[in-house]
Coordinates of all heavy atoms in Angstrom, one line a residue:
L3 N -1.2 8.6 55.0 CA -0.3 9.2 54.1 C 0.8 9.9 54.9 O 0.4 10.6 55.8 CB -0.9 10.1 53.0 CG -1.6 9.4 51.8 CD1 -2.9 8.8 52.2 CD2 -1.8 10.4 50.7
W4 N 2.0 9.8 54.4 CA 3.1 10.5 55.2 C 3.9 11.3 54.2 O 4.1 11.0 53.0 CB 4.0 9.4 55.8 CG 3.4 8.7 57.0 CD1 2.5 7.7 56.9 CD2 3.7 8.9 58.3 NE1 2.1 7.3 58.2 CE2 2.9 8.0 59.1 CE3 4.6 9.7 59.0 CZ2 3.0 7.9 60.5 CZ3 4.7 9.6 60.4 CH2 3.9 8.7 61.1
A5 N 4.5 12.4 54.7 CA 5.5 13.2 54.0 C 6.9 12.8 54.5 O 7.1 12.8 55.8 CB 5.3 14.7 54.1
V6 N 7.8 12.4 53.7 CA 9.1 12.0 54.1 C 10.2 12.8 53.4 O 10.1 13.0 52.2 CB 9.3 10.5 53.8 CG1 10.7 10.1 54.2 CG2 8.3 9.7 54.5
D7 N 11.1 13.3 54.1 CA 12.3 14.1 53.5 C 13.4 13.1 53.1 O 14.0 12.4 54.0 CB 12.8 15.1 54.6 CG 14.0 15.9 54.1 OD1 14.4 15.7 52.9 OD2 14.4 16.8 54.8
P8 N 13.6 12.9 51.8 CA 14.6 11.9 51.4 C 16.0 12.3 51.9 O 16.9 11.4 51.9 CB 14.5 12.0 49.9 CG 13.9 13.3 49.5 CD 13.0 13.6 50.7
R9 N 16.3 13.5 52.3 CA 17.6 13.9 52.8 C 17.7 13.5 54.3 O 18.8 13.5 54.8 CB 17.8 15.4 52.7 CG 17.7 16.0 51.3 CD 17.5 17.5 51.3 NE 16.3 17.9 52.1 CZ 16.0 19.1 52.4 NH1 16.9 20.1 52.1 NH2 15.0 19.4 53.2
G10 N 16.6 13.2 54.9 CA 16.6 12.8 56.3 C 16.8 14.0 57.3 O 17.1 13.8 58.5
V11 N 16.5 15.2 56.8 CA 16.7 16.4 57.6 C 15.5 16.6 58.5 O 15.5 16.7 59.7 CB 17.0 17.6 56.8 CG1 17.1 18.9 57.7 CG2 18.3 17.4 56.0
E12 N 14.3 16.6 57.8 CA 13.0 16.9 58.5 C 12.4 15.5 58.9 O 12.6 14.5 58.3 CB 12.1 17.6 57.6 CG 12.5 19.0 57.3 CD 11.5 19.8 56.5 OE1 10.3 19.3 56.5 OE2 11.8 20.8 55.8
E13 N 11.7 15.5 60.1 CA 11.1 14.3 60.6 C 9.9 14.0 59.6 O 9.2 14.9 59.1 CB 10.6 14.6 62.0 CG 11.7 14.6 63.0 CD 12.4 13.3 63.2 OE1 11.7 12.3 63.2 OE2 13.6 13.3 63.4
P14 N 9.6 12.7 59.4 CA 8.4 12.3 58.7 C 7.2 12.9 59.4 O 7.1 13.0 60.6 CB 8.4 10.8 58.8 CG 9.9 10.4 59.0 CD 10.4 11.5 59.9
R15 N 6.2 13.2 58.5 CA 5.0 13.9 59.1 C 3.7 13.1 58.6 O 3.6 12.8 57.4 CB 4.9 15.3 58.6 CG 3.7 16.1 59.2 CD 3.8 17.6 59.0 NE 3.9 18.0 57.6 CZ 2.8 18.4 57.0 NH1 1.6 18.4 57.6 NH2 2.8 18.8 55.7
N16 N 2.9 12.8 59.5 CA 1.6 12.1 59.1 C 0.6 13.1 58.6 O 0.1 13.9 59.3 CB 1.0 11.4 60.3 CG -0.1 10.4 60.0 OD1 -0.9 10.7 59.2 ND2 -0.1 9.2 60.7
L17 N 0.4 13.0 57.2 CA -0.4 14.0 56.6 C -1.9 13.9 56.9 O -2.7 14.8 56.7 CB -0.2 14.0 55.1 CG 1.3 14.3 54.6 CD1 1.4 14.0 53.1 CD2 1.7 15.7 54.9
T18 N -2.3 12.7 57.2 CA -3.7 12.4 57.5 C -4.1 12.3 58.9 O -5.1 11.7 59.3 CB -4.2 11.2 56.7 OG1 -3.2 10.1 56.9 CG2 -4.3 11.5 55.2
E19 N -3.2 12.8 59.8 CA -3.4 12.9 61.2 C -3.7 11.6 61.9 O -4.4 11.6 62.9 CB -4.6 13.9 61.5 CG -4.5 15.2 60.7 CD -3.2 16.0 61.1 OE1 -2.8 16.0 62.3 OE2 -2.7 16.7 60.2
G20 N -3.2 10.5 61.4 CA -3.5 9.2 62.0 C -4.9 8.7 61.8 O -5.3 7.7 62.5
F21 N -5.7 9.4 61.0 CA -7.1 9.0 60.8 C -7.3 7.6 60.3 O -8.2 6.9 60.7 CB -7.8 10.1 59.9 CG -9.2 9.8 59.7 CD1 -10.2 10.3 60.6 CD2 -9.7 9.2 58.5 CE1 -11.5 10.1 60.4 CE2 -11.0 9.0 58.3 CZ -12.0 9.4 59.3
G22 N -6.4 7.2 59.3 CA -6.6 5.9 58.7 C -6.4 4.8 59.7 O -7.2 3.9 59.8
R23 N -5.3 4.9 60.5 CA -5.0 3.8 61.4 C -6.1 3.8 62.5 O -6.5 2.7 62.9 CB -3.6 4.0 62.1 CG -3.2 2.9 63.1 CD -1.8 3.2 63.6 NE -0.8 3.0 62.5 CZ -0.3 1.9 62.2 NH1 -0.6 0.8 62.8 NH2 0.6 1.8 61.2

Side-chain angles (χ1 to χ4, degrees):
L3 279 77
W4 291 72
V6 179
D7 182 356
R9 303 165 301 172
V11 176
E12 296 185 17
E13 289 292 322
R15 183 166 66 92
N16 191 320
L17 299 174
T18 46
E19 311 300 326
F21 182 83
R23 182 178 294 273

